[in-house]
């Protein structure tokens, strides 16, 4: 299958780390508080690298900018990295200080915070950053000594790619998220426009564990719905599930579906295309919009246009 | 909207085995249903993603190509990222059979699993019927290699073939795949056979393309994206179009091409190791030997196998009876193939053993004597045949219980045949005694003795009696094919002697194919050739065909063979009927060489008078008189 095993493993590792950290009340004392030095975040990035992001300090001239350093458990470390002592962080973790950069505070939603590092660990990172700063390398992405290990070079390449992606996203994402609807507040009942729930024929009679599981998987409706009645006519339905959000439009034959824009991994706005169903009653938006940092931001081309964010 | 009250369900498109083996087929059937209504279509990508995740949890792998196709059509949700496919992304089904459902026209892949076993077997849904067709093909491959494997007995291996799909299928198109599955198992699942299929089937020593090549390979590509090995015919353009979907492609047109390809990979070496047979091996080869000898009458192959078994030897755990069976088989097979000189030599050794071994019996002695007497019959030493068996005949009349019933039958029948040839009075009596035993003991074997009896009546000019016996043979409910072939010969001979023409359609359609028993067809074609009013060309062709059949079983010339003599007789007859002077001279000289005085041959005494009457120019009457003398005709 095209879904790579490596990616699955990485995603799994990030999830496990986040869960483990979330269960440490001494470190994560208040998930709602704004980003603070020492906090660790995990962002959605389509890169084959499982990274956490350590908030190091506020910008001295602009408290809305926070310096962040990528950190990971890749076993090799270069001269601009800090391998944090196990006794301080309880796990392998190396801060890649050569790739530190400034990120606006709004790019750190609290729901993406997975933990925090003790002050002593944070001090080690700051010391390395000061050292690098003295050598005037901060922000250049250049590592002080040649790191000749090709595996290390390859890893640092992924780290840099992630940093650039995150930076671009922060620059391009809308500042105003508009109406924010948490996943839990979406409707669980199938909207009328999509028909009614139908049973799966013979599923219970198959006598086969595989077929029973397949039928169950198809029958499982973990989707949530948000309906928007449009003044121009028709109804926009947003279907959200664990993978993301899809737009479906139901409207009169002579009325086109609305313009719908969503923001992708790199924060780029992208207009969906609408495809008419075989019976002509429904239109389906392509592509399916995956969660980016646990949310999908839409701009709906109504008059006036409206911004809507659905968050997991 | 017009959606059904039921959502399209996995059970509606396939059962569990179909989902396990042909998941892409099943998914596409579901997609076909989903795209029928807006409701199912609108959420199709999400449903498909869930389905694929679920299949993945059950370790059912889908090819990257199928995923890419669904993504391209907008059917795949974002949960499935498509990346560059590597070899690790492809399903590894092993060797796969390809079947077409003749009713609905669907084509499915059938992953084949082979397991080593104590006997050949296959799931009943597979088309390997009997499963030993795969053993035959495997042996054919090894034979085609012509390796020095005198002591190797690849027939020792047996496998069970499992069907993963469970749809009944028939026909020979999967046989090559079946053998590849066996080879994969025997070689520890080499990567080359991780995704292999074949679109050729055996036709004698050739490989020909199977039917429906394109849909079959489309099904393979549908389910697996690409494969590791395609075995296809050299001139099959349909299959060639799929070459790029396979890592390797073996282009073949004969069994030996295929064998060479396998050998280059070292895949056949495991089958030709020369190590003594253990108990399990011996059971498997014993079953094959009996099948070749008693069921298929492929005597040359049976003799070859017996000889290799003996050269290979046995481990100490193999019972003595099996070793004796192999030894007796070799003697019998030399005789069945017409090698009378060698058969006599081996039979005399057996007689000696039966007389001197402590662990002997009357039954063993009688059997050894019958074997020797039969060899002498082929050598035309009828006096000696009778001389050996007459004492047994008399003794068994007084004490029938000293040997087994079937041993008595063998004594009586061999004696009866010699008496028929000698023109003895009372020739019929031994056959009648055999029939009495067989009626009680082994009715299935009645036709063979009835054939001997009919032949006696025919040769003794008793057509009405012959007619009655032939009718009894014809009406026997379980007549074996060899007896049926002999019946046709006797019917043709009966017609010939009555001045009529008669042929049998099934005999006429026979062709001299390697490996099959030939002499009954030789007898039949010579009889029809000699029928009254037969045109010279037709008769000549029939004699030539008879000659081919006589040479079929015994092409080797290392020992004297009565069938070689019969083949020369046919060439002589062809020369006489066609008035071919050169062939006449050539065949006369050949016969002269075969009937010259030699130790152990009774031919010179038996034929010299009629042979000398043949003359120097083609002569039908003299040839007819000579052929009439042949005791087998």
């Amino acid at each position: 299958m095209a879904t790579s095993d490596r990616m699955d493993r990485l995603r799994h590792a990030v999830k496990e780390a986040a869960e483990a950290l979330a269960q440490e009340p001494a470190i994560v004392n208040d998930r709602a508080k704004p980003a603070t030095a020492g906090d660790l975040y995990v962002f959605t990035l389509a890169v084959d690298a499982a990274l956490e992001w350590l908030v190091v300090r506020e910008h001295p001239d602009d408290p809305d900018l926070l310096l962040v350093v990528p950190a990971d458990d890749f076993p090799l470390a270069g001269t601009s990295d800090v391998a944090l002592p196990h006794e301080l962080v309880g796990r392998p973790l190396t801060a890649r200080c050569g790739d530190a950069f400034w990120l606006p505070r709004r790019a750190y939603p609290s729901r993406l915070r997975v933990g925090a590092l003790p002050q002593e660990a944070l001090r080690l990172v700051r010391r390395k950053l000061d050292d690098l700063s003295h050598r005037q390398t901060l922000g250049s992405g250049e590592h002080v000594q040649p790191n000749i290990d090709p595996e290390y070079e390859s890893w640092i390449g992924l780290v840099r790619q992630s940093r650039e992606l995150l930076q671009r996203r922060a620059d391009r994402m809308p500042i105003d998220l508009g109406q924010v609807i948490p996943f839990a507040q979406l409707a669980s009942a199938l909207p009328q426009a999509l028909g009614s729930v139908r049973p799966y024929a013979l599923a219970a009679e198959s006598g086969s564990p595989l077929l029973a599981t397949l039928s169950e998987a198809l029958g499982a409706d973990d989707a949530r719905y948000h309906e928007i009645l449009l003044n121009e006519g028709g109804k926009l339905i947003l279907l959200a599930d664990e993978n993301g959000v899809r737009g479906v439009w139901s409207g009169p034959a002579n009325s086109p579906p609305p313009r719908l824009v969503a923001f992708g991994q790199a924060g780029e706005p992208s207009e969906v295309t609408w495809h008419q169903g075989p019976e002509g009653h429904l239109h389906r938006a392509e592509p399916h919009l995956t969660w980016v940092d646990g949310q999908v931001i839409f701009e709906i081309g109504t008059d006036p246009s409206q911004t809507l964010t659905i968050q997991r | 909207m017009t959606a059904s009250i039921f959502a399209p369900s996995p059970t509606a498109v396939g059962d569990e085995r179909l989902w396990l083996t042909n998941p892409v087929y099943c998914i596409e059937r579901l997609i076909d249903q989903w795209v029928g209504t807006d409701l199912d279509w609108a959420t199709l990508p999400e449903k498909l993603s869930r389905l694929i995740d679920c299949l993945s949890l059950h370790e059912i792998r889908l090819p990257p190509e199928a995923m890419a196709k669904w993504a391209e059509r907008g059917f795949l949700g974002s949960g499935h990222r498509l990346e560059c496919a590597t070899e690790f992304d492809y399903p590894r089904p092993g060797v796969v059979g390809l079947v077409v459902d003749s009713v609905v026209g669907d084509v499915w892949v059938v992953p084949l699993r082979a397991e080593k076993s104590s006997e050949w077997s296959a799931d009943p849904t597979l088309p390997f019927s009997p499963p030993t067709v795969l053993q035959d093909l495997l042996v054919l491959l090894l034979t085609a290699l012509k390796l020095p494997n005198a002591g190797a007995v690849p027939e020792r291996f047996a496998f069970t073939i499992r069907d993963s799909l469970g749809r009944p299928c028939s026909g020979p198109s999967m046989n090559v795949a079946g053998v590849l599955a066996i080879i994969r198992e025997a070689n520890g699942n080499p990567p080359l056979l991780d995704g292999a299929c074949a679109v050729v089937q055996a036709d004698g020593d050739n490989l020909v393309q199977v039917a429906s090549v394109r849909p079959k390979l489309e099904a393979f590509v549908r389910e697996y994206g690409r494969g590791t090995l395609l075995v296809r015919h050299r001139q099959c353009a349909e299959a060639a179009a799929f070459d790029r979907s396979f890592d390797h492609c073996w282009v073949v047109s004969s069994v030996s091409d295929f064998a060479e390809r396998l050998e280059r990979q070292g895949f056949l070496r495991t089958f030709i190791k020369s190590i003594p047979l253990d108990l399990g091996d011996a059971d498997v080869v014993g079953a094959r030997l009996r099948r070749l000898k008693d069921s298929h009458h492929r005597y040359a192959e049976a003799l070859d196998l017996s000889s290799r078994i003996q050269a290979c030897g046995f481990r100490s755990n193999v019972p003595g009876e099996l070793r004796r069976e192999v030894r007796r088989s070799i003697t019998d097979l030399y005789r069945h193939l017409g090698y009378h000189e060698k058969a006599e030599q081996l039979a005399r050794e057996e007689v000696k053993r039966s007389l001197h071994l402590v662990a002997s019996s009357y039954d063993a002695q009688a059997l050894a004597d019958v074997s020797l007497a039969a060899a002498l019959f082929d050598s035309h030493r009828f006096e000696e045949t009778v001389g050996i068996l007459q004492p047994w005949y008399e003794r068994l009349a007084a004490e029938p219980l000293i040997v087994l019933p079937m041993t008595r039958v063998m004594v009586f029948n061999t004696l009866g045949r010699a008496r028929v040839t000698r023109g003895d009075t009372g020739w019929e009596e031994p056959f009648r005694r055999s029939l009495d035993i067989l009626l009680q003991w082994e009715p299935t074997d009645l036709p063979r003795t009835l054939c001997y009896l009919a032949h006696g009546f025919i040769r003794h000019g008793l057509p009405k009696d012959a007619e009655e016996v032939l009718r009894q043979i014809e009406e026997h409910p379980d007549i074996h094919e060899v007896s049926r072939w002999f019946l046709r010969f006797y019917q043709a001979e009966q017609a010939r002697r009555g001045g009529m023409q008669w042929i049998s359609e099934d005999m006429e359609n026979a062709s001299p194919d390697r490996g099959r028993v030939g002499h009954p067809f030789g007898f039949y074609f010579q009889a029809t050739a000699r029928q009254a009013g037969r045109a010279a060309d037709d008769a000549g062709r029939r004699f030539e065909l008879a000659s081919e059949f006589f040479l079929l079983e015994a092409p080797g010339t290392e020992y004297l063979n009565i069938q070689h003599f019969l083949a020369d007789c046919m060439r002589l007859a062809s020369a006489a009927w066609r008035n071919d002077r050169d062939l006449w001279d050539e065949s006369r000289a050949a016969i002269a060489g075969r009937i010259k005085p030699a130790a152990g041959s009774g031919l010179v005494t038996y034929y010299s008078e009629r042979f000398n009457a043949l003359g120097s120019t083609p002569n039908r009457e003299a040839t007819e008189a000579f052929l009439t003398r042949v005791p087998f005709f």
Side-chain angles (χ1 to χ4, degrees):
Chain A
M1 247 186 278
T3 307
S4 88
D5 290 344
R6 188 177 175 198
M7 275 304 291
D8 286 343
R9 277 205 311 278
L10 289 168
R11 279 193 279 269
H12 189 64
V14 170
K15 193 180 169 202
E16 274 190 346
E19 283 168 3
L21 288 165
Q23 285 167 6
E24 289 182 49
I27 298 171
V28 188
N29 45 25
D30 182 4
R31 293 183 64 87
K33 76 182 176 68
T36 312
D39 286 351
L40 283 166
Y41 285 79
V42 170
F43 299 107
T44 311
L45 297 163
V47 178
D48 283 0
L51 298 173
E52 293 170 63
W53 302 84
L54 172 67
V55 179
V56 181
R57 64 165 68 99
E58 284 181 3
H59 194 284
D61 302 325
D62 182 357
D64 201 39
L65 280 179
L66 298 175
L67 185 65
V68 66
V69 169
D72 58 69
D73 63 355
F74 187 75
L76 301 179
T79 50
S80 53
D81 302 331
V82 181
L84 297 168
H86 194 276
E87 59 271 24
L88 290 180
V89 295
R91 58 191 172 106
L93 192 67
T94 301
R96 310 294 174 184
C97 297
D99 281 286
F101 68 107
W102 298 100
L103 200 60
R105 190 179 288 279
R106 62 182 160 75
Y108 300 88
S110 60
R111 66 182 182 285
L112 300 183
R113 191 153 63 89
V114 294
L117 292 187
Q119 285 302 308
E120 184 57 31
L122 187 59
R123 263 195 294 278
L124 292 173
V125 175
R126 283 174 173 165
R127 194 178 303 155
K128 172 61 75 174
L129 286 168
D130 290 344
D131 182 38
L132 292 173
S133 174
H134 288 315
R135 298 181 192 208
Q136 299 180 330
T137 56
L138 179 61
S140 69
E142 180 189 336
H143 296 265
V144 173
Q145 277 188 350
N147 298 294
I148 53 172
D149 188 301
E151 277 193 56
Y152 176 79
E153 290 298 331
S154 165
W155 179 254
I156 288 299
L158 293 174
V159 171
R160 194 163 304 148
Q161 202 182 328
S162 303
R163 185 197 69 192
E164 287 164 2
L165 192 58
L166 198 53
Q167 208 158 14
R168 275 207 305 277
R169 186 191 301 172
D171 293 342
R172 295 155 114 183
M173 278 287 190
I175 294 169
D176 178 11
L177 298 183
Q179 183 190 4
V180 177
I181 309 173
F183 186 85
Q185 289 177 20
L186 298 171
S188 59
L190 189 70
Q192 202 178 359
L194 294 183
S196 55
V197 176
R198 295 169 299 159
Y200 280 83
L202 305 177
E205 298 170 28
S206 68
S208 142
L210 171 65
L211 292 181
T213 316
L214 291 176
S215 296
E216 204 173 289
L218 290 180
D221 191 6
D222 56 356
R224 294 288 181 273
Y225 308 91
H226 180 66
E227 293 184 73
I228 304 165
L229 274 170
L230 304 177
N231 293 333
E232 295 78 4
K235 191 182 285 182
L236 175 65
I237 303 165
L238 299 175
L239 286 74
D241 64 15
E242 63 174 12
N243 293 316
V245 183
R246 178 178 305 279
V248 173
W249 183 74
S250 167
N254 56 356
S255 176
R259 182 171 178 274
L260 186 64
V261 172
F263 294 84
Q265 286 275 336
E268 75 287 7
S270 170
E271 185 174 348
V272 304
T273 56
W274 289 102
H275 299 264
Q276 193 171 29
E279 297 173 302
H281 305 295
L282 295 178
H283 286 68
R284 187 176 73 201
E286 295 292 352
H288 181 256
L289 301 157
T290 50
W291 300 111
V292 177
D293 290 344
Q295 64 187 14
V296 177
I297 306 169
F298 292 103
E299 275 181 14
I300 305 167
T302 48
D303 187 17
S305 69
Q306 53 180 303
T307 303
L308 173 73
T309 301
I310 295 183
Q311 288 183 341
R312 288 198 75 187
Chain B
M1 272 184 245
T2 55
S4 151
I5 59 163
F6 290 116
S9 150
T11 53
V13 298
D15 57 20
E16 174 159 322
R17 285 177 140 198
L18 195 63
W19 274 96
L20 285 168
T21 56
N22 289 262
V24 178
Y25 167 90
C26 292
I27 289 174
E28 290 189 340
R29 295 292 80 72
L30 262 185
I31 289 175
D32 287 346
Q33 296 187 29
W34 283 336
V35 297
T37 67
D38 277 4
L39 174 56
D40 290 315
W41 169 85
T43 53
L44 191 159
E46 285 68 41
K47 287 196 291 259
L48 183 56
S49 289
R50 287 204 294 269
L51 198 63
I52 290 169
D53 285 344
C54 194
L55 290 170
S56 178
L57 284 174
H58 284 81
E59 297 183 345
I60 300 172
R61 303 177 78 176
L62 301 170
E65 283 79 358
M67 304 276 280
K69 193 172 82 176
W70 294 327
E72 193 182 325
R73 295 174 68 190
F75 292 161
L76 206 54
S78 55
H80 295 275
R81 289 208 296 150
L82 296 168
E83 294 156 1
C84 286
T86 70
E87 60 176 308
F88 302 108
D89 296 318
Y90 287 92
R92 294 174 195 172
V95 181
V96 171
L98 304 164
V99 293
V100 180
D101 183 313
S102 56
V103 178
V104 293
D106 285 335
V107 190
W108 295 311
V109 297
V110 186
L112 299 171
R113 298 269 177 273
E115 301 161 8
K116 280 194 177 165
S117 174
S118 58
E119 60 180 351
W120 283 88
S121 65
D123 282 345
T125 44
L126 289 172
F128 311 128
S129 180
T132 48
V133 295
L134 299 181
Q135 187 185 30
D136 293 345
L137 185 52
L138 182 62
V139 171
L140 193 60
L141 282 168
L142 293 161
T143 310
L145 276 179
K146 298 185 175 69
L147 291 176
N149 60 347
V153 185
E155 293 88 345
R156 74 173 72 209
F157 296 95
F159 294 86
T160 292
I161 315 293
R162 301 279 181 215
D163 175 14
S164 310
L165 176 62
R167 298 287 200 279
C169 43
S170 59
S173 68
M174 211 190 283
N175 288 358
V176 171
V179 165
L180 274 176
I182 287 163
I183 288 168
R184 180 172 187 255
E185 165 66 17
N187 285 278
N189 303 328
L192 179 61
L193 301 180
D194 275 350
C197 70
V199 284
V200 287
Q201 65 188 55
D203 179 14
D205 290 336
N206 294 321
L207 289 175
V208 296
Q209 75 176 65
V210 301
S212 309
V213 166
R214 191 175 56 80
K216 283 178 175 175
L217 289 176
E218 281 173 350
F220 185 98
V221 171
R222 177 191 73 211
E223 297 299 335
Y224 307 125
R226 60 182 297 106
T228 53
L229 175 66
L230 168 66
V231 182
R232 70 162 174 88
H233 192 267
R234 194 176 302 284
Q235 290 168 339
C236 183
E238 274 187 299
F242 289 84
D243 285 0
R244 64 185 179 281
S245 296
F246 291 84
D247 300 340
H248 302 275
C249 183
W250 289 358
V251 180
V252 294
S253 55
S254 66
V255 171
S256 61
D257 283 351
F258 185 37
E260 279 167 26
R261 290 291 200 155
L262 290 164
E263 175 54 16
R264 253 182 261 166
Q265 297 293 325
F267 287 164
L268 296 179
R269 280 167 213 166
T270 188
F271 296 105
I272 54 176
K273 285 177 189 159
S274 183
I275 48 174
L277 303 171
D278 67 15
L279 182 57
D281 298 337
D283 283 342
V284 176
V285 296
R288 178 163 177 87
L289 182 57
R290 285 185 282 277
R291 198 165 50 249
L292 287 174
K293 189 162 63 83
D294 303 330
S295 304
H296 297 167
H297 304 282
R298 284 151 60 177
Y299 298 136
E301 284 176 61
L303 178 58
D304 173 56
L305 174 58
S306 306
S307 305
R308 282 185 288 114
I309 292 171
Q310 226 175 25
C312 184
F314 300 95
R315 289 190 193 279
S316 56
N317 63 348
V318 176
E321 179 50 33
L322 189 66
R323 301 163 193 240
R324 287 191 290 275
E325 182 188 346
V326 171
R327 196 178 62 223
R328 282 196 303 268
S329 289
I330 291 175
T331 308
D332 291 345
L333 288 164
Y334 271 116
R335 191 178 67 251
H336 291 332
L337 289 167
Y339 292 108
H340 53 92
E341 183 191 31
K342 181 69 178 174
E344 181 191 340
Q345 177 208 323
L346 295 173
R348 285 196 187 282
E349 289 169 14
E350 195 66 33
V351 168
K352 198 186 282 182
R353 269 192 294 270
S354 73
L355 289 173
H356 296 107
L357 284 179
V358 173
S360 188
S361 65
Y362 287 136
D363 199 74
Q365 288 178 355
L367 283 173
D369 279 348
V370 168
S371 183
L372 176 59
L376 294 171
F377 181 95
D378 288 350
S379 296
H380 291 58
R381 289 151 67 185
F382 308 114
E383 306 303 322
E384 291 173 70
T385 302
V386 173
I388 290 168
L389 296 180
Q390 187 63 32
W392 277 110
Y393 185 67
E394 289 162 11
R395 190 173 176 186
L396 292 175
E399 295 179 278
L401 304 187
I402 61 170
V403 301
L404 292 170
M406 288 308 287
T407 306
R408 297 204 292 276
V409 169
M410 291 165 79
V411 169
F412 300 156
N413 285 355
T414 309
L415 176 66
R417 291 177 64 213
R419 283 184 175 181
V420 167
T421 304
R422 295 200 322 168
D424 293 349
T425 54
W427 61 266
E428 190 182 337
E429 185 53 29
F431 295 133
R432 294 291 179 199
R433 287 174 64 179
S434 284
L435 291 172
D436 288 343
I437 295 169
L438 290 169
L439 274 170
Q440 289 182 1
W441 185 256
E442 193 53 87
T444 60
D445 210 24
L446 277 168
R448 186 209 305 253
T449 300
L450 288 170
C451 280
Y452 296 146
L453 184 60
H455 194 210
F457 283 132
I458 292 169
R459 284 190 67 87
H460 281 261
L462 297 166
K464 283 202 164 44
D465 296 301
E467 193 73 41
E468 170 58 21
V469 178
L470 292 175
R471 188 185 57 73
Q472 286 180 43
I473 301 168
E474 187 89 79
E475 289 174 357
H476 193 279
D478 298 311
I479 183 169
H480 192 277
E481 62 179 358
V482 175
S483 292
R484 184 180 296 111
W485 295 333
F486 271 98
L487 170 66
R488 302 298 177 232
F489 156 49
Y490 297 136
Q491 288 170 321
E493 180 66 6
Q494 175 88 329
R496 182 186 75 79
R497 289 178 183 246
M500 293 180 291
Q501 282 192 16
W502 182 91
I503 59 166
S504 155
E505 281 305 322
D506 52 338
M507 297 296 277
E508 292 289 315
N509 292 331
S511 60
D513 299 327
R514 188 172 66 83
R516 73 182 299 171
V517 64
H519 62 275
F521 295 92
F523 294 158
Y524 166 82
F525 281 108
Q526 67 81 30
T528 55
R530 291 161 64 196
Q531 286 170 347
R534 185 76 64 192
D537 274 352
D538 185 17
R541 183 186 62 80
R542 286 171 182 278
F543 283 127
E544 285 150 17
L545 205 48
S547 176
E548 276 188 68
F549 273 111
F550 286 132
L551 291 176
L552 199 59
E553 295 169 279
T557 55
E558 65 274 33
Y559 301 115
L560 290 179
N561 192 309
I562 196 63
Q563 296 208 66
H564 296 170
F565 166 73
L566 297 176
D568 287 335
C569 292
M570 295 300 97
R571 293 168 67 222
L572 179 81
S574 178
W577 262 255
R578 291 185 191 274
N579 198 25
D580 181 338
R581 182 73 183 259
D582 291 343
L583 184 59
W584 178 262
D585 291 343
E586 195 184 303
S587 53
R588 254 188 84 223
I591 292 170
R594 296 196 190 282
I595 66 170
K596 68 185 177 193
S601 172
L603 274 72
V604 62
T605 315
Y606 189 76
Y607 290 110
S608 56
E609 187 184 332
R610 299 275 174 100
F611 179 74
N612 292 335
L614 288 173
S616 57
T617 55
N619 183 330
R620 274 179 66 161
E621 288 70 31
T623 304
E624 184 60 61
F626 184 82
L627 294 180
T628 304
R629 182 85 174 136
V630 176
F632 307 102
F633 295 163

